[in-house]
Amino acid sequence: MPPVDSRNGPRFALRGRIVTMDGQDAVLRDGVLYINGGRIDHVLPASAPPPADYVDVTPVETAGTAYPGLIELHNHLPYDILQLWRVPRRFANRSQWGSGPNPDYRRLVTGPMRILGEDPESMPAVARYVEAKALINGTTTSQGIALFSNSGSRRMYRGIVRNVEATDDPELPEAKTRIADVEAADARRFLARLQQPHRLLLHLAEGTDDRARVHFRALEFEPGKWAITENLVGIHCTPLTAEDFQIMVEHGGSMVWSPLSNLLLYGKTADVAAAKAAGTLLGLGSDWSVSGSKGLLGEMKAAQLTSAAGGAVFTDRELISMATRNAAKILRWNQSIGSLSPGFHADIVIVRGQDGDPYTSLVAARDTDISLVVINGVARYGMTAIMEELTSDTTRLERLTDHVLADRALNLHHPDADPAVGDLTLADATQRLTDALADIPLLASRVEKTRIARRTEPTPTWRLALDEIAPTGSELRPRLPLPHSSLPSGPVISTVEPAVSSLHPLTLDAITASTDTEFLDTLEAESNLPDSFGARLRDLLT
């Protein structure tokens, strides 16, 4: 399947305020993006004559501000159908909330996902729903959805949103988010893995106590020798000290920050002031809907509040950089993605309005302010009127009926659609998941029958390969042994499957935050967040 779309994409132009996020931080108050074949050909002031090959093209008036598409460096996408968890207490490390002592995790997360991931009706609906959710929240690149078949083969779902793990584009080197378990447990094998030509986006030091920090310190496998290279991208890094960040930077490592998830689970996030002082290259990730934002648009607001509480650590421009050019640099995509520059892939997000600070405008934007999302030169989501102007065959548009997004449309058509999802609409996916979650016990019995049939099924049957639900031979994090010990570092994750009798009906998580009262109420009531943080974040989201 070609990368997102073929390069035979349409030729068009978009007019509005343009925030390029290029090396000079150029902002065109009234500019035009000229796009052809999935690329940005020119970025010019609207007063300039059109290029010779665009004299017959009338720019589409967006009445908005254009930014590079948002690049998410951490998400467990399939889980984004689940609602925000009311975290019952403050945890000190990852083992405490994802293992045996926490039956709620199995009942609310691993139990339902095991069932949905194996159900032939629900699995494609999950893939469609969570990708549309990312798109509607302005994300143009995220981590992928892994699929596993009864024949033992494994592959990545290929959809509309770019996938850092499967790009099929030599300009966009593929990153990895999992490593073999034997590489995770042996320092020299892990270091050899880091020396291969792939970025590794791996969980690192999740929590606030010594046990969490030891996960990082175990990377020093001999005195002064660290299993860290420029290919290690540490996700979370919540307990790291200024000294630790200095070590990371000296060895070329970078970091992905997920502040809301950290605060919800641990009451604390990474010392980003120390990370910034050390020169750490930072990206951003919303983690997952169970303990995070619905997308990067919300996560930037959580990052802004956290930055302000720490003494204005980051400007709004720096926060946007984490989701655009910094993220692209971490991935080694910064010559093709992350800026609105000539020759770059046309990944674009546009929000309504052209007034005020150009950087604050995006950080402050609500989900209802997004008027257009373009991926590789194809309009994928936006105001219906704009989508109709930019779509040659408007019968392919799915006009949304949700009252919040009633004037929006999606274009989920791909000429080489992944057969796992095909032409499934967001509306159909929503209905399937709503029904499935409402009667999880009944669905569980149906899935058990499917499991039995799958053992003798001659044709491949695909299911979701979910993170940390069952042993798969791969790991999301290094597990190097502690000094003078054979015990591995890192969290212990339970893979015990809950009894069907412990499962209860659930509600599908809403796609947008601005009018999701249940999400907003839960967020405001979360006990681990700093005083008034939930209420202030609620105000920013609505």
Side-chain angles (χ1 to χ4, degrees):
M1 179 174 177
V4 184
D5 291 288
S6 71
R7 294 189 179 179
N8 299 318
R11 183 165 56 99
F12 62 99
L14 299 172
R15 181 174 179 176
R17 184 167 64 168
I18 301 172
V19 181
T20 65
M21 300 304 293
D22 64 7
Q24 291 73 46
D25 288 324
V27 176
L28 282 68
R29 181 158 186 80
D30 185 11
V32 180
L33 293 166
Y34 294 94
I35 297 159
N36 186 27
R39 302 272 178 164
I40 299 171
D41 274 349
H42 310 276
V43 184
L44 297 173
S47 58
D53 48 346
Y54 286 89
V55 292
D56 61 337
V57 175
T58 301
V60 174
E61 298 281 354
T62 67
T65 302
Y67 305 85
L70 303 184
I71 303 170
E72 178 158 64
L73 293 185
H74 179 49
N75 200 321
H76 301 274
L77 279 175
Y79 294 84
D80 285 351
I81 63 168
L82 302 175
Q83 290 185 303
L84 183 66
W85 181 30
R86 179 75 176 270
V87 183
R89 66 181 181 88
R90 182 172 296 189
F91 301 104
N93 62 65
R94 174 67 174 85
S95 296
Q96 293 177 346
W97 59 266
S99 59
N102 182 18
D104 272 358
Y105 183 70
R106 297 197 301 274
R107 179 175 62 84
L108 298 173
V109 181
T110 58
M113 289 310 301
R114 274 183 184 270
I115 295 163
L116 294 170
E118 295 187 37
D119 176 47
E121 291 293 314
S122 301
M123 184 277 283
V126 170
R128 174 61 83 214
Y129 189 85
V130 300
E131 185 177 40
K133 187 178 186 182
L135 191 61
I136 289 169
N137 282 276
T139 300
T140 56
T141 296
S142 190
Q143 292 184 0
I145 300 172
L147 302 177
F148 190 75
S149 78
N150 55 329
S151 63
S153 56
R154 186 184 180 104
R155 67 180 178 86
M156 299 301 298
Y157 163 71
R158 308 299 179 89
I160 303 302
V161 172
R162 288 192 191 278
N163 176 356
V164 302
E165 297 159 82
T167 67
D168 293 330
D169 188 335
E171 294 183 13
L172 306 176
E174 293 177 352
K176 304 298 180 185
T177 62
R178 300 165 183 82
I179 54 175
D181 50 11
V182 293
E183 296 169 332
D186 182 280
R188 285 172 177 77
R189 287 188 177 185
F190 181 58
L191 187 56
R193 189 69 175 79
L194 286 171
Q195 292 166 341
Q196 293 181 21
H198 296 286
R199 293 291 194 253
L200 296 180
L201 282 66
L202 301 175
H203 292 65
L204 184 63
E206 305 160 78
T208 58
D209 61 4
D210 289 342
R211 180 174 181 177
R213 184 172 178 241
V214 158
H215 189 225
F216 170 78
R217 299 300 303 185
L219 296 176
E220 187 181 25
F221 58 94
E222 290 181 9
K225 293 185 178 181
W226 290 82
I228 302 174
T229 73
E230 68 278 1
N231 283 332
L232 179 61
V233 185
I235 299 169
H236 298 310
C237 302
T238 44
L240 269 59
T241 65
E243 175 190 0
D244 298 333
F245 283 118
Q246 193 63 48
I247 291 168
M248 279 275 286
V249 171
E250 287 174 357
H251 290 79
S254 53
M255 173 186 152
V256 182
W257 187 32
S258 297
L260 182 57
S261 184
N262 298 159
L263 292 171
L264 286 167
L265 295 169
Y266 310 119
K268 180 182 176 183
T269 188
D271 185 351
V272 287
K276 181 180 179 180
T280 310
L281 187 60
L282 293 170
L284 203 62
S286 52
D287 201 349
W288 61 345
S289 63
V290 176
S291 66
S293 302
K294 291 181 187 286
L296 282 180
L297 203 63
E299 195 66 18
M300 283 194 288
K301 294 168 179 54
Q304 184 188 55
L305 287 176
T306 307
S307 169
V313 180
F314 301 110
T315 65
D316 289 340
R317 180 173 58 187
E318 288 172 323
L319 293 175
I320 294 173
S321 293
M322 293 180 196
T324 55
R325 63 186 179 199
N326 280 13
K329 187 174 182 181
I330 287 172
L331 294 171
R332 294 180 295 152
W333 293 6
N334 51 309
Q335 298 303 310
S336 302
I337 291 282
S339 170
L340 300 181
S341 299
F344 277 49
H345 290 286
D347 289 10
I348 305 161
V349 60
I350 297 180
V351 300
R352 289 188 293 192
Q354 299 175 334
D355 299 324
D357 180 86
Y359 303 103
T360 301
S361 294
L362 180 58
V363 177
R366 275 70 170 177
D367 43 46
T368 51
D369 290 324
I370 292 181
S371 57
L372 183 66
V373 178
V374 175
I375 301 179
N376 214 42
V378 177
R380 287 299 178 187
Y381 166 74
M383 303 292 293
T384 302
I386 298 177
M387 292 294 292
E388 289 177 341
E389 281 196 74
L390 296 174
T391 307
S392 58
D393 183 357
T394 57
T395 62
R396 295 173 176 173
L397 295 180
E398 180 179 358
R399 291 161 177 83
L400 302 186
T401 57
D402 181 284
H403 71 282
V404 181
L405 304 173
D407 55 351
R408 303 313 204 276
L410 281 165
N411 175 11
L412 300 175
H413 173 77
H414 195 296
D416 299 298
D418 192 307
V421 173
D423 294 325
L424 185 66
T425 66
L426 175 60
D428 286 342
T430 302
Q431 190 60 58
R432 285 191 198 181
L433 293 174
T434 299
D435 294 344
L437 287 166
D439 204 346
I440 280 287
L442 179 63
L443 182 60
S445 62
R446 192 171 82 195
V447 166
E448 181 57 34
K449 294 177 183 177
T450 303
R451 286 177 183 169
I452 296 170
R454 186 182 294 129
R455 293 170 191 156
T456 57
E457 177 62 45
T459 58
T461 302
W462 293 97
R463 57 187 171 90
L464 295 173
L466 297 163
D467 297 331
E468 302 187 314
I469 280 187
T472 62
S474 65
E475 292 280 1
L476 300 180
R477 56 184 63 80
R479 293 191 181 277
L480 305 189
L482 305 177
H484 313 296
S485 171
S486 60
L487 296 176
S489 61
V492 176
I493 310 299
S494 171
T495 57
V496 176
E497 185 168 0
V500 172
S501 59
S502 70
L503 301 177
H504 302 284
L506 299 175
T507 301
L508 177 65
D509 190 52
I511 278 185
T512 55
S514 55
T515 58
D516 184 355
T517 304
E518 190 165 355
F519 166 77
L520 296 168
D521 288 347
T522 301
L523 181 65
E524 191 168 358
E526 293 281 6
S527 60
N528 293 336
L529 295 177
D531 289 345
S532 75
F533 189 99
R536 285 181 290 153
L537 183 53
R538 178 179 192 148
D539 288 342
L540 292 175
L541 291 167
T542 58

